Amino acid sequence: MARERARGIDGRAENHVTRWAVLIFVTIMALGAVTVVAGRFFGKSGSRASTLVSVIAHWLAAYVLWSFAGGLAVRHGLLEVYHPAVFPLLAVIAGTWHYRVQVRLGREQGRMVFVGCQLAWLGILLAENGLFRN
């Protein structure tokens, strides 16, 4: 009974939030796809718009994967603590850096920023869970 109250009697609140999150995600991706198609139609396949969509897709995928892996790790006792609300802050800051590097220096350097930030997040998680304590 307590779990049902915490979730809502029939889960309607969770479904409402999930619907809004999916709607926002689909809208962002649809607008990005339209922008990319328009850029390619006018002959600019490596346009800033397509780069922006690519960077957003990278960071959204990373958020989903880190949230899933972190939740599983906590559930199975591999991690003591996982704060999924901290990653979006990192994603916005690092995503901005990723975008700027990719526009100025190219795709490969942008990927290096992305991978480096993922490794930094892993280091933060490991430090937060006591791997580096004596």
Side-chain angles (χ1 to χ4, degrees), residues 67-84:
S67 296
F68 180 69
L72 283 177
V74 168
R75 180 180 179 119
H76 294 290
L78 298 172
L79 294 178
E80 295 173 15
V81 178
Y82 180 73
H83 301 292

Side-chain angles (χ1 to χ4, degrees), residues 59 66 79-91 93-94 115-133:
W59 286 98
W66 276 113
L79 294 178
E80 295 173 15
V81 178
Y82 180 73
H83 301 292
V86 178
F87 187 80
L89 178 63
L90 171 79
I93 294 167
V115 171
C117 291
Q118 298 303 309
L119 292 173
W121 179 245
L122 178 62
I124 291 168
L125 283 178
L126 294 175
E128 192 175 49
N129 284 281
L131 180 71
F132 304 120
R133 285 186 223 153

